[in-house]
Amino acid sequence: MTKKPQKPQKPQKPRPTPRLSPKRRWLTVAAVLGTIAAETAFMRRRGYSVGLHTVVRCRKDHLFTTIWIPGASLKSIRLGIVRFQYCPVGRHFTSVRPVKDAELTEEIRVAAALYHDVSIP
């Protein structure tokens, strides 16, 4: 018995990566922006300030300032309204949460401004 010679197989073209349709892309962008806006509105309504110099308190009651931008965190792990990051006062990793504006006195603001966590390079 003789074997049939096999035909050389054509190399298969790689499948193109699926692309989002323009409508779906806009819906995704709108959903992300809506979520960020909702988080910002929620925090403002509850009395928190957000931005580049937000006063936060760690679990051991240390106060310092950090960058707190809703929807983004480059140097911390987001856990809802709490974030896990480095505390420059106690020099430890811990969970931090923002301090309400009503709780902030001038002395607390000055004390917190003395310590700022690491800058973003």
Side-chain angles (χ1 to χ4, degrees):
M1 241 196 237
T2 60
K3 291 184 178 179
K4 288 185 183 179
Q6 293 182 354
K7 292 182 183 178
Q9 293 182 355
K10 293 182 196 176
Q12 291 183 354
K13 293 181 183 177
R15 292 183 181 174
T17 56
R19 305 238 183 237
L20 290 176
S21 67
K23 181 179 179 181
R24 189 157 186 145
R25 191 175 308 135
W26 279 110
L27 287 174
T28 303
V29 169
V32 168
L33 292 177
T35 302
I36 292 171
E39 183 180 353
T40 304
F42 172 77
M43 289 188 70
R44 296 250 185 225
R45 197 172 334 127
R46 303 265 290 194
Y48 298 105
S49 67
V50 293
L52 298 178
H53 300 288
T54 303
V55 178
V56 296
R57 182 183 312 270
C58 81
R59 290 182 68 190
K60 293 188 177 181
D61 278 345
H62 299 137
L63 291 166
F64 61 97
T65 58
T66 188
I67 298 172
W68 196 287
I69 299 172
S73 59
L74 298 175
K75 53 189 173 175
S76 63
I77 299 172
R78 297 176 63 207
L79 305 167
I81 198 163
V82 177
R83 293 186 180 182
F84 186 79
Q85 71 182 58
Y86 181 73
C87 172
V89 181
R91 299 178 187 232
H92 56 99
F93 285 93
T94 185
S95 60
V96 299
R97 65 176 49 237
V99 180
K100 291 186 178 185
D101 288 337
E103 298 174 18
L104 294 175
T105 63
E106 192 58 36
E107 294 83 28
I108 292 175
R109 288 181 198 272
V110 170
L114 293 175
Y115 295 97
H116 191 79
D117 66 338
V118 281
S119 304
I120 298 174

